[in-house]
Amino acid sequence: TKNVYISFYNNVIPNHHTVSNNAISANFSVVANAHIGSNSAVFTYNYIASYYFYEGNYKQALSYINDALDLATNKSSTRKLIKLRNLKCRIFDKLGETNLAEKTLIEIKKIQEKKLARNRRFDLIKYEVDKIRNEKAAAERQVELNNKKREYTI
């Protein structure tokens, strides 16, 4: 699987950044630091963390997932933040840090609740706007009907 990662990143990374078996993490760090603040850096750190997680190097994976979360906090979607924290939770579980894993799960739950509350607020706003539009349309129809009645009575 390491060769798959290397071949993938050799296609993505500019020519002056080559990835070799001996320097995977160093080159990944160079690539990620070259794109600080971008989603590609978050993607890179997440990919590296996943690689180390599946290799069983949980401390290294935790380091990279923390870097990804630092970059993603203000720039990534809610779905991405949940995915990153989910991996972090799994890493803590493998490290035997059940308290930290539980805290991470609570963070995920808070993010999900915040997203749901935002969606509910959006739905309420949309409902209110639709209600106003419907009332306006009904008032316009009533004005038309009144005008037609006046025409017939004249």
Side-chain angles (χ1 to χ4, degrees):
T1 58
K2 190 182 285 188
N3 290 332
V4 172
Y5 289 110
I6 292 170
S7 64
F8 173 77
Y9 277 104
N10 277 334
N11 293 329
V12 174
I13 298 170
N15 292 334
H16 59 281
H17 295 294
T18 57
V19 179
S20 67
N21 283 324
N22 299 330
I24 291 175
S25 62
N27 283 310
F28 282 151
S29 294
V30 168
V31 172
N33 288 330
H35 298 90
I36 291 285
S38 69
N39 281 330
S40 60
V42 174
F43 172 79
T44 304
Y45 281 130
N46 181 32
Y47 220 69
I48 299 166
S50 298
Y51 170 77
Y52 282 119
F53 178 79
Y54 290 113
E55 287 289 313
N57 190 346
Y58 303 119
K59 289 187 180 193
Q60 193 72 23
L62 182 61
S63 170
Y64 279 103
I65 203 66
N66 284 334
D67 290 341
L69 280 166
D70 288 343
L71 291 175
T73 300
N74 295 325
K75 302 197 183 320
S76 291
S77 67
T78 304
R79 182 182 301 145
K80 187 65 172 178
L81 288 172
I82 290 171
K83 283 176 124 179
L84 293 171
R85 281 191 169 76
N86 190 22
L87 179 57
K88 186 175 182 177
C89 182
R90 292 175 64 200
I91 292 168
F92 280 141
D93 184 48
K94 292 291 187 179
L95 289 171
E97 301 280 347
T98 54
N99 290 336
L100 294 174
E102 186 177 334
K103 285 180 184 177
T104 306
L105 283 174
I106 291 169
E107 289 174 9
I108 291 171
K109 184 74 172 167
K110 285 180 183 176
I111 291 171
Q112 289 172 331
E113 288 172 355
K114 190 176 178 181
K115 181 179 180 181
L116 288 173
R118 187 172 53 237
N119 288 345
R120 278 192 300 273
R121 281 193 307 274
F122 175 74
D123 288 343
L124 286 173
I125 291 169
K126 185 177 181 301
Y127 171 77
E128 290 295 323
V129 169
D130 288 346
K131 183 178 172 184
I132 292 168
R133 284 183 182 153
N134 290 340
E135 289 172 355
K136 181 181 175 187
E140 288 172 352
R141 281 193 303 273
Q142 189 62 41
V143 167
E144 283 181 30
L145 285 173
N146 290 342
N147 288 339
K148 286 182 181 180
K149 284 182 183 178
R150 282 188 200 140
E151 289 175 8
Y152 289 126
T153 57
I154 298 178

